[in-house]
Amino acid sequence: MAKAAESPGDPGTTTPRPLFAGLSDISISQDIPVEGEITIPMRSQIREFDSSTLNESVQNTIMRDLKAVGKKFMHVLYPRKSNTLLRDWDLWGPLILCVTLALMLQSSVDSEKDGGPQFAEVFVIVWFGAVTITLNSKLLGGNISFFQSLCVLGYCILPLTVAMLVCRLVLLAEPGPVNFMVRLFVVIVMFAWSIVASTAFLADSQPPNRKALAIYPIFLFYFVISWMILTFTPQ
Amino acid sequence: MATTAAPAGGARSGAGPEWGGFEENIQGGGSAVIDMENMDDTSGSSFEDMGELHQRLREEEVDADAAAAEEEDGEFLGLKGFKGQLSRQVADQMWQAGKRQASRAFSLYANIDILRPYFDVEPAQVRSRLLESMIPVKMVSFPQKIAGELYGPLMLVFTLVAILLHGMKTSDTIIREGTLMGTAIGTCFGYWLGVSSFIYFLAYLCNAQITMLQMLALLGYGLFGHCIVLFITYNIHLHALFYLFWLLVGGLSTLRMVAVLVSRTVGPTQRLLLCGTLAALHMLFLLYLHFAYHKVVEGILDTLEGPNIPPMQRVPRDIPAALPAARLSATVLNATAKAVAVTLQSH
C-alpha cells in the first residue's frame, strides 16, 4: 500500500520518534506477502484482560471483590485524603451496608404498633438520599461522577452501621437513662465520623467556595439515619 | 479503468462516503489499513467485480432490510464473505444512528443542566437571603426583587422534613397506613409545591408580576421561620411559648412574603385576595405542623376527639379535625387584619 511509504517519521524533529519511524529503512522483497492487521497494541491488551477475568473461577472473583470492599472499608475507618474510593468505585459495599442497616432497623412485622421504620423505608431513604445529594453536588458545579458520589456516600454509612450494632447490644441490657446516654454518645461520635469521612473524600471535588453548600445536605442525610438508629427500640 | 479504479482508490483513502463505513468496521476501528484478506474467498476478484459490488452497496444502503433477506442467496462466488460483512456494517450503522438519536433525546430531556443556573449560589448569599426572609420590607410602591434560586428553598424543605421526623418521633406518632418518612416528605414537599402553584395561579388571576420560580423561592425561604419555630417548640413543650413564636416568627416571615407580593400587585381587591390567602395558608400550616405532631396532654384529648377519624390515622393526636372554632376564626381574623393593614398603609 502506498500509505506505508508515506508515513515515516521526520528525522529532523526533536519530538519523540513516531511509531513507524524506522520502517522507511526496511525494504520489502516482492515474494513476502504483505498482510496482517495493523492494530493499536492496547486493544489486544484489553481483550486479553477481559477474557482472563471471565475464565477465572467464581471463588477468585468473589474474593477479589470482597478484598476490594474490605480495603475501602479500611479507608473509611481511617479517612485520609485519598482517592481510592473515587478511582475504582463499586456499589457492593453500600449495598451490603444498606441491607444490614435495614435488616437491623426493621421492627417486627406482626406487631400492631409499627412505629419503627420498615426495611423498604430505610432502603429508599438511603438510596434516594444519596441520589439527591449527588444531584445537588453536581448542580453546584462539582466535578464528580454520579456513581463515584453514590459509592462514597454509601461507604461512609459504615460508622453508623457499627453504631447500630453497638446500640443493639446496649439495648440488651436494662433500659434507663444511662442506657440512652450511652447510645446517644455512640451515635453522635459515629455521626461525626461519617461526616468527616465523606467530607475527606468529597470536598475536593467541589469548587472551594461552595464546600459548605455541598456538605450541608450530607449532614442532613446522616442526621436522619442517626436519628432512626437512636430512636430504634426493639419490640 | 478510471471509473472502476475510483472505488478502489476510495477504499484506500477512505474518503468516499460509500466506502467510509466499510473501512471503519472491518478492523474494528483501530487500524489504518483495510485488510483485504478478510474480504472475500476468491482471490481472483478483480476491479470489475468491485465495481459491481459498489453498485450493490449503494442499493443496499437505500434498502437496509434487503441486506438481511439477501443473506440466503449469498451463493455468489466472491460475495459470500463480503455480504456477511456488509450486513454487519449496515446493522452497525443503524445501531449507531439509533444510539445517536437516543442520546440526543436523553440529553435534551433528562439533562440536569437545565436546573444548573438555579443552583448558582454562594454560601454568603444563602445566609443573607435566610436572614432577609425574616425582615419585612417597607417599600411597597415598586416591585421588590426576588432571587430566583432553588438551592435555599430545597434545603429548607429537607430541613423541615428532618425536624418533622424528630417531632413525630418524640411525640410517638403512629401512622397506620403509611410511613413516618413518607408522611413527612409528602407534607413538606406537598405544601411547598402545592401552595406555590396555587398562589401562582391566584397571582395569574390577580395580574400580579411574579413567575413560578420566584414564587417557589419566596415560599421556600418563608419556611425558614417555620423551621425555627418547630425546632424550638418540638423540644420545649410550652403552649404559650409556641403561640408567642407563632405570632412573632411566623408573622414576620408571612409579613415579608405579603409585602413582596403587595409590591408586585396592583389594585386593592387583588392585593387583599392574594395576600390574605397566602397569609392564611402559611400561618395555618405552622399551626397544623405543631399540633399534628405534638405530645398533648391526655385530658384535653379525650374531650376534643371527634367521632370521625380519617383512614390514615395518627392515633391519638388527630387534632386538626378537633380544633375549636374559636381558634380558627381568630387566626383568620389576624391574617386578614394584617393584610388589610398593609394594604391601607400603602395608600
Side-chain angles (χ1 to χ4, degrees):
Chain A
M1 293 292 198
K3 252 200 172 147
E6 284 164 7
S7 62
D10 284 327
T13 54
T14 51
T15 55
R17 298 176 60 108
L19 209 50
F20 302 119
L23 278 184
S24 53
D25 304 325
I26 299 172
S27 66
I28 302 172
S29 62
Q30 290 297 69
D31 49 359
I32 300 177
V34 182
E35 62 180 53
E37 302 178 66
I38 298 182
T39 54
I40 303 171
M42 218 184 304
R43 285 207 138 244
S44 53
Q45 206 176 333
I46 290 176
R47 251 181 250 131
E48 272 172 22
F49 185 65
D50 279 344
S51 61
S52 71
T53 62
L54 266 180
N55 291 336
E56 66 182 7
S57 67
V58 174
Q59 187 191 3
N60 275 0
T61 316
I62 292 183
M63 288 315 294
R64 194 182 57 237
D65 284 335
L66 278 180
K67 279 204 199 99
V69 168
K71 203 158 70 126
K72 294 202 184 80
F73 279 171
M74 284 299 123
H75 273 278
V76 169
L77 286 179
Y78 304 107
R80 290 179 299 267
K81 273 205 191 299
S82 78
N83 56 356
T84 312
L85 250 67
L86 292 180
R87 228 192 0 231
D88 352 283
W89 58 267
D90 74 271
L91 293 177
W92 283 115
L95 183 67
I96 295 173
L97 288 172
C98 181
V99 169
T100 314
L101 199 62
L103 278 175
M104 288 197 288
L105 271 178
Q106 69 172 356
S107 57
S108 54
V109 189
D110 46 35
S111 76
E112 285 247 328
K113 315 170 39 173
D114 47 350
Q118 303 298 313
F119 181 95
E121 195 180 347
V122 177
F123 211 84
V124 163
I125 288 174
V126 169
W127 287 103
F128 275 100
V131 164
T132 309
I133 295 175
T134 309
L135 283 178
N136 176 60
S137 48
K138 279 184 87 74
L139 283 170
L140 281 175
N143 58 352
I144 193 172
S145 101
F146 185 74
F147 286 109
Q148 281 173 340
S149 175
L150 276 187
C151 168
V152 170
L153 288 168
Y155 270 105
C156 291
I157 295 181
L158 176 67
L160 288 171
T161 312
V162 170
M164 182 72 221
L165 285 166
V166 172
C167 283
R168 266 284 60 156
L169 291 173
V170 170
L171 279 169
L172 289 176
E174 52 177 88
V178 178
N179 198 311
F180 180 73
M181 294 312 286
V182 168
R183 281 189 294 138
L184 181 69
F185 176 70
V186 167
V187 168
I188 287 181
V189 165
M190 291 303 178
F191 167 63
W193 200 334
S194 284
I195 295 197
V196 165
S198 57
T199 310
F201 294 120
L202 285 179
D204 287 334
S205 65
Q206 291 295 322
N209 50 343
R210 291 190 188 174
K211 286 200 171 62
L213 295 185
I215 292 181
Y216 179 68
I218 300 179
F219 169 84
L220 270 182
F221 176 61
Y222 289 129
F223 175 79
V224 169
I225 298 181
S226 314
W227 190 246
M228 284 197 293
I229 292 174
L230 188 59
T231 58
F232 173 74
T233 49
Q235 294 304 325
Chain B
M1 261 317 186
T3 49
T4 48
R12 238 177 273 161
S13 64
E18 308 89 23
W19 296 101
F22 176 63
E23 188 180 290
E24 75 192 2
N25 285 319
I26 295 302
Q27 305 293 344
S31 66
V33 168
I34 301 174
D35 186 11
M36 301 293 277
E37 195 185 14
N38 291 339
M39 222 187 69
D40 56 24
D41 295 327
T42 67
S43 51
S45 71
S46 63
F47 285 132
E48 285 86 6
D49 284 343
M50 295 297 261
E52 222 171 291
L53 288 170
H54 170 64
Q55 187 64 32
R56 256 184 201 280
L57 198 67
R58 223 192 269 154
E59 284 172 20
E60 300 226 19
E61 268 185 359
V62 168
D63 181 16
D65 291 337
E70 280 175 25
E71 279 279 14
E72 277 77 26
D73 44 317
E75 303 297 331
F76 238 122
L77 260 185
L79 290 178
K80 194 169 178 184
F82 186 70
K83 267 201 184 302
Q85 288 192 321
L86 198 64
S87 63
R88 264 203 294 279
Q89 170 217 343
V90 169
D92 198 46
Q93 273 185 337
M94 283 181 64
W95 166 254
Q96 295 288 346
K99 202 164 87 151
R100 243 178 285 129
Q101 264 191 340
S103 61
R104 232 182 289 143
F106 181 75
S107 61
L108 193 61
Y109 293 115
N111 201 359
I112 62 165
D113 281 336
I114 298 173
L115 292 175
R116 204 176 278 269
Y118 307 137
F119 281 76
D120 192 13
V121 287
E122 307 290 318
Q125 280 177 324
V126 176
R127 215 179 314 134
S128 66
R129 281 172 197 166
L130 281 175
L131 291 173
E132 274 169 15
S133 75
M134 303 299 295
I135 304 172
V137 283
K138 287 273 170 72
M139 294 281 226
V140 290
S141 42
F142 63 94
Q144 294 295 318
K145 203 167 83 74
I146 307 176
E149 56 135 325
L150 286 179
Y151 174 81
L154 203 63
M155 287 305 126
L156 278 171
V157 174
F158 279 124
T159 311
L160 193 61
V161 168
I163 295 177
L164 259 185
L165 207 62
H166 164 59
M168 289 199 273
K169 281 285 188 182
T170 43
S171 70
D172 298 324
T173 303
I174 298 159
I175 306 237
R176 278 194 200 281
E177 282 153 30
T179 58
L180 274 174
M181 195 69 196
T183 313
I185 291 184
T187 311
C188 297
F189 269 98
Y191 175 76
W192 183 46
L193 295 170
V195 172
S196 291
S197 318
F198 180 61
I199 301 286
Y200 176 67
F201 167 68
L202 277 185
Y204 171 74
L205 289 180
C206 299
N207 231 359
Q209 288 175 1
I210 193 165
T211 65
M212 184 66 189
L213 173 72
Q214 287 172 331
M215 192 59 226
L216 281 170
L218 191 66
L219 195 65
Y221 274 113
L223 287 175
F224 181 54
H226 283 26
C227 287
I228 296 179
V229 176
L230 290 173
F231 183 65
I232 297 177
T233 57
Y234 276 154
N235 295 316
I236 309 173
H237 306 286
L238 285 174
H239 275 304
L241 186 70
F242 168 70
Y243 284 123
L244 186 69
F245 271 115
W246 178 63
L247 279 177
L248 263 181
V249 181
L252 271 178
S253 74
T254 313
L255 265 179
R256 157 137 184 114
M257 291 199 298
V258 157
V260 170
L261 274 181
V262 160
S263 73
R264 287 168 169 256
T265 320
V266 180
T269 325
Q270 288 92 327
R271 281 175 169 178
L272 194 60
L273 175 68
L274 200 56
C275 304
T277 320
L278 180 61
L281 285 171
H282 205 63
M283 301 295 276
L284 282 179
F285 184 58
L286 185 52
L287 213 60
Y288 167 75
L289 283 182
H290 178 82
F291 282 108
Y293 305 119
H294 182 65
K295 224 188 272 194
V296 180
V297 180
E298 298 300 317
I300 303 178
L301 205 55
D302 290 336
T303 53
L304 290 182
E305 204 168 33
N308 47 344
I309 301 173
M312 194 180 82
Q313 291 185 21
R314 267 177 246 101
V315 178
R317 269 152 287 284
D318 213 2
I319 299 300
L323 257 183
R327 275 190 209 157
L328 260 177
S329 56
T331 318
V332 172
L333 263 173
N334 279 342
T336 31
K338 273 185 221 140
V340 167
V342 172
T343 325
L344 285 177
Q345 258 183 10
S346 61
H347 284 295

Short mmCIF file of all heavy atoms in Angstrom, two decimals, chain A residues 98-139:
data_model
loop_
_atom_site.label_atom_id
_atom_site.label_comp_id
_atom_site.label_asym_id
_atom_site.label_seq_id
_atom_site.Cartn_x
_atom_site.Cartn_y
_atom_site.Cartn_z
N CYS A 98 -26.27 -1.09 53.42
CA CYS A 98 -27.66 -0.66 53.43
C CYS A 98 -28.56 -1.80 53.84
O CYS A 98 -29.49 -1.62 54.65
CB CYS A 98 -28.01 -0.15 52.03
SG CYS A 98 -29.67 0.45 51.90
N VAL A 99 -28.31 -2.99 53.29
CA VAL A 99 -29.15 -4.13 53.63
C VAL A 99 -28.99 -4.49 55.10
O VAL A 99 -29.98 -4.76 55.80
CB VAL A 99 -28.80 -5.32 52.72
CG1 VAL A 99 -29.46 -6.58 53.22
CG2 VAL A 99 -29.25 -5.05 51.30
N THR A 100 -27.76 -4.46 55.61
CA THR A 100 -27.53 -4.75 57.03
C THR A 100 -28.29 -3.78 57.91
O THR A 100 -28.99 -4.16 58.86
CB THR A 100 -26.03 -4.65 57.35
OG1 THR A 100 -25.29 -5.32 56.36
CG2 THR A 100 -25.72 -5.23 58.70
N LEU A 101 -28.15 -2.48 57.58
CA LEU A 101 -28.82 -1.46 58.38
C LEU A 101 -30.33 -1.64 58.35
O LEU A 101 -31.01 -1.56 59.38
CB LEU A 101 -28.43 -0.09 57.81
CG LEU A 101 -28.64 1.12 58.71
CD1 LEU A 101 -27.79 0.99 59.94
CD2 LEU A 101 -28.28 2.39 57.96
N ALA A 102 -30.86 -1.88 57.15
CA ALA A 102 -32.31 -2.01 57.01
C ALA A 102 -32.82 -3.24 57.76
O ALA A 102 -33.88 -3.20 58.38
CB ALA A 102 -32.69 -2.07 55.53
N LEU A 103 -32.05 -4.33 57.70
CA LEU A 103 -32.47 -5.54 58.41
C LEU A 103 -32.50 -5.30 59.91
O LEU A 103 -33.42 -5.74 60.60
CB LEU A 103 -31.51 -6.69 58.10
CG LEU A 103 -31.77 -7.43 56.79
CD1 LEU A 103 -30.67 -8.46 56.58
CD2 LEU A 103 -33.11 -8.12 56.83
N MET A 104 -31.49 -4.58 60.40
CA MET A 104 -31.44 -4.38 61.84
C MET A 104 -32.46 -3.36 62.31
O MET A 104 -32.89 -3.38 63.45
CB MET A 104 -30.04 -3.93 62.25
CG MET A 104 -29.03 -5.05 62.16
SD MET A 104 -27.55 -4.66 63.06
CE MET A 104 -26.87 -3.41 62.00
N LEU A 105 -32.84 -2.45 61.42
CA LEU A 105 -33.74 -1.38 61.85
C LEU A 105 -35.20 -1.75 61.74
O LEU A 105 -36.06 -1.03 62.23
CB LEU A 105 -33.50 -0.12 61.01
CG LEU A 105 -32.45 0.84 61.55
CD1 LEU A 105 -32.29 2.00 60.60
CD2 LEU A 105 -32.85 1.36 62.90
N GLN A 106 -35.50 -2.84 61.09
CA GLN A 106 -36.93 -3.09 60.88
C GLN A 106 -37.54 -3.65 62.14
O GLN A 106 -36.92 -4.38 62.90
CB GLN A 106 -37.14 -4.03 59.71
CG GLN A 106 -36.68 -5.43 59.97
CD GLN A 106 -37.09 -6.36 58.86
OE1 GLN A 106 -37.79 -5.95 57.95
NE2 GLN A 106 -36.69 -7.60 58.94
N SER A 107 -38.76 -3.25 62.37
CA SER A 107 -39.47 -3.75 63.55
C SER A 107 -40.17 -5.04 63.18
O SER A 107 -40.28 -5.39 62.02
CB SER A 107 -40.47 -2.71 64.02
OG SER A 107 -41.35 -2.42 62.98
N SER A 108 -40.66 -5.72 64.17
CA SER A 108 -41.31 -7.00 63.88
C SER A 108 -42.61 -6.76 63.13
O SER A 108 -43.32 -5.80 63.35
CB SER A 108 -41.59 -7.73 65.18
OG SER A 108 -42.32 -6.89 66.04
N VAL A 109 -42.91 -7.66 62.23
CA VAL A 109 -43.99 -7.41 61.28
C VAL A 109 -45.36 -7.57 61.92
O VAL A 109 -46.31 -6.90 61.56
CB VAL A 109 -43.88 -8.39 60.10
CG1 VAL A 109 -44.84 -8.01 58.99
CG2 VAL A 109 -42.46 -8.37 59.57
N ASP A 110 -45.45 -8.45 62.92
CA ASP A 110 -46.80 -8.77 63.38
C ASP A 110 -47.26 -7.91 64.54
O ASP A 110 -48.30 -8.16 65.12
CB ASP A 110 -46.88 -10.25 63.77
CG ASP A 110 -45.69 -10.64 64.63
OD1 ASP A 110 -45.24 -9.80 65.44
OD2 ASP A 110 -45.19 -11.75 64.48
N SER A 111 -46.49 -6.89 64.89
CA SER A 111 -46.95 -6.04 65.98
C SER A 111 -47.87 -4.95 65.44
O SER A 111 -47.73 -4.49 64.32
CB SER A 111 -45.76 -5.39 66.69
OG SER A 111 -45.27 -4.35 65.88
N GLU A 112 -48.81 -4.56 66.27
CA GLU A 112 -49.79 -3.55 65.84
C GLU A 112 -49.15 -2.17 65.75
O GLU A 112 -49.44 -1.40 64.87
CB GLU A 112 -50.93 -3.50 66.87
CG GLU A 112 -51.87 -4.68 66.78
CD GLU A 112 -53.25 -4.22 66.32
OE1 GLU A 112 -53.63 -3.09 66.65
OE2 GLU A 112 -53.92 -4.98 65.61
N LYS A 113 -48.29 -1.90 66.75
CA LYS A 113 -47.69 -0.57 66.77
C LYS A 113 -46.44 -0.57 65.91
O LYS A 113 -45.34 -0.65 66.42
CB LYS A 113 -47.31 -0.18 68.20
CG LYS A 113 -48.38 -0.49 69.23
CD LYS A 113 -47.87 -0.30 70.65
CE LYS A 113 -46.97 0.89 70.76
NZ LYS A 113 -46.57 1.25 72.08
N ASP A 114 -46.62 -0.50 64.60
CA ASP A 114 -45.41 -0.49 63.77
C ASP A 114 -44.94 0.94 63.59
O ASP A 114 -45.13 1.56 62.56
CB ASP A 114 -45.67 -1.17 62.43
CG ASP A 114 -46.96 -0.68 61.80
OD1 ASP A 114 -47.72 0.01 62.49
OD2 ASP A 114 -47.20 -0.98 60.63
N GLY A 115 -44.36 1.43 64.67
CA GLY A 115 -43.85 2.79 64.60
C GLY A 115 -42.44 2.83 64.08
O GLY A 115 -41.91 3.88 63.77
N GLY A 116 -41.79 1.68 63.99
CA GLY A 116 -40.42 1.68 63.52
C GLY A 116 -40.34 1.64 62.01
O GLY A 116 -41.30 1.23 61.35
N PRO A 117 -39.22 2.06 61.49
CA PRO A 117 -39.10 2.06 60.01
C PRO A 117 -39.03 0.64 59.49
O PRO A 117 -38.41 -0.22 60.06
CB PRO A 117 -37.80 2.81 59.78
CG PRO A 117 -37.04 2.68 61.02
CD PRO A 117 -38.01 2.54 62.14
N GLN A 118 -39.67 0.41 58.40
CA GLN A 118 -39.61 -0.88 57.76
C GLN A 118 -38.39 -0.97 56.88
O GLN A 118 -37.73 0.03 56.61
CB GLN A 118 -40.88 -1.12 56.93
CG GLN A 118 -42.14 -1.00 57.73
CD GLN A 118 -42.19 -2.03 58.83
OE1 GLN A 118 -41.91 -3.20 58.60
NE2 GLN A 118 -42.50 -1.61 60.03
N PHE A 119 -38.12 -2.17 56.41
CA PHE A 119 -36.96 -2.42 55.57
C PHE A 119 -36.96 -1.52 54.36
O PHE A 119 -35.98 -0.85 54.05
CB PHE A 119 -36.98 -3.89 55.16
CG PHE A 119 -35.83 -4.30 54.31
CD1 PHE A 119 -34.71 -4.87 54.88
CD2 PHE A 119 -35.85 -4.12 52.94
CE1 PHE A 119 -33.64 -5.25 54.11
CE2 PHE A 119 -34.78 -4.50 52.16
CZ PHE A 119 -33.68 -5.06 52.74
N ALA A 120 -38.10 -1.47 53.69
CA ALA A 120 -38.16 -0.71 52.44
C ALA A 120 -37.93 0.77 52.69
O ALA A 120 -37.30 1.46 51.89
CB ALA A 120 -39.51 -0.93 51.77
N GLU A 121 -38.43 1.25 53.83
CA GLU A 121 -38.30 2.68 54.12
C GLU A 121 -36.82 3.06 54.25
O GLU A 121 -36.37 4.06 53.68
CB GLU A 121 -39.03 2.98 55.42
CG GLU A 121 -39.27 4.44 55.65
CD GLU A 121 -40.02 4.67 56.95
OE1 GLU A 121 -40.54 3.70 57.52
OE2 GLU A 121 -40.04 5.81 57.38
N VAL A 122 -36.08 2.27 55.01
CA VAL A 122 -34.66 2.57 55.20
C VAL A 122 -33.92 2.50 53.87
O VAL A 122 -33.12 3.38 53.54
CB VAL A 122 -34.03 1.57 56.19
CG1 VAL A 122 -32.56 1.85 56.34
CG2 VAL A 122 -34.72 1.65 57.51
N PHE A 123 -34.22 1.45 53.11
CA PHE A 123 -33.57 1.27 51.82
C PHE A 123 -33.80 2.48 50.94
O PHE A 123 -32.88 3.06 50.36
CB PHE A 123 -34.19 0.02 51.17
CG PHE A 123 -33.25 -0.72 50.29
CD1 PHE A 123 -32.38 -1.63 50.83
CD2 PHE A 123 -33.27 -0.51 48.93
CE1 PHE A 123 -31.52 -2.34 50.02
CE2 PHE A 123 -32.40 -1.21 48.12
CZ PHE A 123 -31.53 -2.12 48.66
N VAL A 124 -35.08 2.89 50.86
CA VAL A 124 -35.43 4.01 49.98
C VAL A 124 -34.79 5.30 50.48
O VAL A 124 -34.26 6.08 49.68
CB VAL A 124 -36.97 4.15 49.91
CG1 VAL A 124 -37.37 5.49 49.39
CG2 VAL A 124 -37.55 3.06 49.05
N ILE A 125 -34.79 5.50 51.80
CA ILE A 125 -34.19 6.72 52.32
C ILE A 125 -32.72 6.80 51.95
O ILE A 125 -32.23 7.82 51.47
CB ILE A 125 -34.35 6.79 53.85
CG1 ILE A 125 -35.79 7.06 54.21
CG2 ILE A 125 -33.47 7.88 54.43
CD1 ILE A 125 -36.03 6.98 55.69
N VAL A 126 -32.01 5.67 52.16
CA VAL A 126 -30.57 5.70 51.90
C VAL A 126 -30.29 5.98 50.43
O VAL A 126 -29.52 6.87 50.08
CB VAL A 126 -29.93 4.37 52.34
CG1 VAL A 126 -28.52 4.26 51.83
CG2 VAL A 126 -29.94 4.25 53.84
N TRP A 127 -30.96 5.23 49.56
CA TRP A 127 -30.60 5.37 48.14
C TRP A 127 -31.09 6.67 47.55
O TRP A 127 -30.37 7.35 46.83
CB TRP A 127 -31.08 4.16 47.34
CG TRP A 127 -30.25 2.97 47.65
CD1 TRP A 127 -30.58 1.93 48.44
CD2 TRP A 127 -28.90 2.73 47.23
NE1 TRP A 127 -29.53 1.05 48.54
CE2 TRP A 127 -28.50 1.51 47.81
CE3 TRP A 127 -28.00 3.42 46.44
CZ2 TRP A 127 -27.24 0.96 47.61
CZ3 TRP A 127 -26.74 2.87 46.23
CH2 TRP A 127 -26.37 1.66 46.80
N PHE A 128 -32.34 7.07 47.88
CA PHE A 128 -32.81 8.33 47.31
C PHE A 128 -32.13 9.53 47.94
O PHE A 128 -31.91 10.55 47.28
CB PHE A 128 -34.33 8.44 47.43
CG PHE A 128 -35.03 7.77 46.30
CD1 PHE A 128 -35.56 6.50 46.45
CD2 PHE A 128 -35.11 8.37 45.06
CE1 PHE A 128 -36.18 5.86 45.39
CE2 PHE A 128 -35.72 7.74 44.00
CZ PHE A 128 -36.26 6.48 44.17
N GLY A 129 -31.76 9.40 49.20
CA GLY A 129 -30.98 10.48 49.82
C GLY A 129 -29.64 10.63 49.13
O GLY A 129 -29.22 11.76 48.81
N ALA A 130 -28.99 9.50 48.87
CA ALA A 130 -27.68 9.57 48.20
C ALA A 130 -27.83 10.15 46.79
O ALA A 130 -27.01 10.98 46.36
CB ALA A 130 -27.04 8.19 48.15
N VAL A 131 -28.89 9.75 46.09
CA VAL A 131 -29.08 10.29 44.73
C VAL A 131 -29.32 11.78 44.78
O VAL A 131 -28.76 12.55 43.97
CB VAL A 131 -30.26 9.56 44.05
CG1 VAL A 131 -30.74 10.31 42.84
CG2 VAL A 131 -29.87 8.17 43.66
N THR A 132 -30.13 12.24 45.75
CA THR A 132 -30.42 13.67 45.85
C THR A 132 -29.15 14.45 46.15
O THR A 132 -28.90 15.50 45.54
CB THR A 132 -31.44 13.92 46.97
OG1 THR A 132 -32.56 13.07 46.78
CG2 THR A 132 -31.89 15.36 46.96
N ILE A 133 -28.33 13.94 47.07
CA ILE A 133 -27.11 14.66 47.40
C ILE A 133 -26.19 14.71 46.19
O ILE A 133 -25.55 15.74 45.93
CB ILE A 133 -26.39 13.99 48.58
CG1 ILE A 133 -27.25 14.09 49.82
CG2 ILE A 133 -25.05 14.62 48.82
CD1 ILE A 133 -26.67 13.36 50.98
N THR A 134 -26.12 13.62 45.46
CA THR A 134 -25.26 13.60 44.28
C THR A 134 -25.72 14.62 43.25
O THR A 134 -24.91 15.38 42.71
CB THR A 134 -25.27 12.20 43.65
OG1 THR A 134 -24.99 11.25 44.65
CG2 THR A 134 -24.26 12.11 42.54
N LEU A 135 -27.03 14.65 43.01
CA LEU A 135 -27.55 15.63 42.05
C LEU A 135 -27.25 17.04 42.52
O LEU A 135 -26.86 17.91 41.73
CB LEU A 135 -29.06 15.45 41.90
CG LEU A 135 -29.50 14.29 41.04
CD1 LEU A 135 -31.01 14.21 41.02
CD2 LEU A 135 -28.99 14.44 39.63
N ASN A 136 -27.40 17.26 43.82
CA ASN A 136 -27.15 18.59 44.35
C ASN A 136 -25.70 18.99 44.15
O ASN A 136 -25.41 20.11 43.72
CB ASN A 136 -27.50 18.61 45.84
CG ASN A 136 -27.18 19.93 46.48
OD1 ASN A 136 -27.70 20.95 46.11
ND2 ASN A 136 -26.28 19.91 47.46
N SER A 137 -24.77 18.07 44.45
CA SER A 137 -23.37 18.47 44.31
C SER A 137 -22.98 18.62 42.84
O SER A 137 -22.14 19.45 42.50
CB SER A 137 -22.43 17.49 45.01
OG SER A 137 -22.75 16.19 44.68
N LYS A 138 -23.65 17.88 41.95
CA LYS A 138 -23.37 18.08 40.53
C LYS A 138 -23.89 19.43 40.08
O LYS A 138 -23.26 20.15 39.31
CB LYS A 138 -23.99 16.98 39.69
CG LYS A 138 -23.16 15.73 39.68
CD LYS A 138 -23.77 14.69 38.77
CE LYS A 138 -23.31 14.84 37.35
NZ LYS A 138 -21.95 14.40 37.13
N LEU A 139 -25.10 19.80 40.58
CA LEU A 139 -25.67 21.06 40.16
C LEU A 139 -24.89 22.24 40.71
O LEU A 139 -24.87 23.32 40.12
CB LEU A 139 -27.13 21.15 40.63
CG LEU A 139 -28.10 20.35 39.79
CD1 LEU A 139 -29.45 20.30 40.47
CD2 LEU A 139 -28.24 20.95 38.42
#
